Amino acid sequence: EDSTASDDGEGLDVADDGRPFPQSDVLYLFDADHTIEAYRYFLDRAEADADGDADGDGELDDGNPWHKPDFVQDKLLTLAGAGIVEPLVSTALEQRDRDRLEAALNLLAIYRDIVCDDGILALPIIAARTLQDSDGLRP
């Protein structure tokens, strides 16, 4: 309700249940979607470079910040923190391990879904409970 206090409601993004998304939620969803796609792009480029199929001139400088690893890593850290997702993503990229990358990105997608369904304020609580109950992630 607070997100519409200074607006008549027009032009706001709306969830499936009709509630307006606060702008912080919209930004989180946008950044999460783009971060997931950027990491898939980075792995595709790394694999192509390793196979000799790409230009091989290092980082693509087309002006798109989503093609810059440092920018995307900063986004990942703001979305998911440094504890679980970021180390998994970094290791997966170093080892060119698509399965590990997809598993890490799936965690980010779960966070994204939490924000979409329950709002950004629910994310820390739900994520902490979920991770605490996950034996596979405990180490």
Side-chain angles (χ1 to χ4, degrees):
E1 293 175 358
D2 291 340
S3 67
T4 61
S6 64
D7 195 331
D8 62 3
E10 291 186 35
L12 289 176
D13 291 308
V14 178
D16 291 338
D17 61 6
R19 67 179 164 81
F21 276 123
Q23 291 303 308
S24 58
D25 289 9
V26 173
L27 183 59
Y28 189 98
L29 300 176
F30 176 88
D31 285 348
D33 287 341
H34 282 76
T35 299
I36 290 168
E37 289 307 311
Y39 277 114
R40 288 179 179 147
Y41 168 82
F42 295 150
L43 184 59
D44 289 344
R45 281 193 51 89
E47 289 174 342
D49 288 347
D51 293 340
D53 295 337
D55 299 340
D57 59 353
E59 184 177 314
L60 180 64
D61 189 14
D62 61 0
N64 184 345
W66 295 103
H67 291 168
K68 298 185 183 309
D70 290 342
F71 174 83
V72 177
Q73 183 183 21
D74 286 348
K75 287 294 183 184
L76 178 62
L77 290 171
T78 63
L79 295 168
I84 295 173
V85 178
E86 194 277 334
L88 290 174
V89 168
S90 295
T91 301
L93 285 177
E94 289 170 11
Q95 297 175 355
R96 293 190 185 107
D97 185 340
R98 186 167 296 278
D99 291 336
R100 183 176 284 187
L101 180 68
E102 288 301 323
L105 295 178
N106 186 50
L107 285 173
L108 181 56
I110 290 169
Y111 290 0
R112 183 213 178 279
D113 292 344
I114 291 169
V115 171
C116 186
D117 294 341
D118 301 307
I120 200 164
L121 296 177
L123 179 60
I125 297 165
I126 295 171
R129 275 196 220 143
T130 303
L131 294 175
Q132 180 181 3
D133 295 340
S134 176
D135 288 330
L137 293 175
R138 195 166 288 150

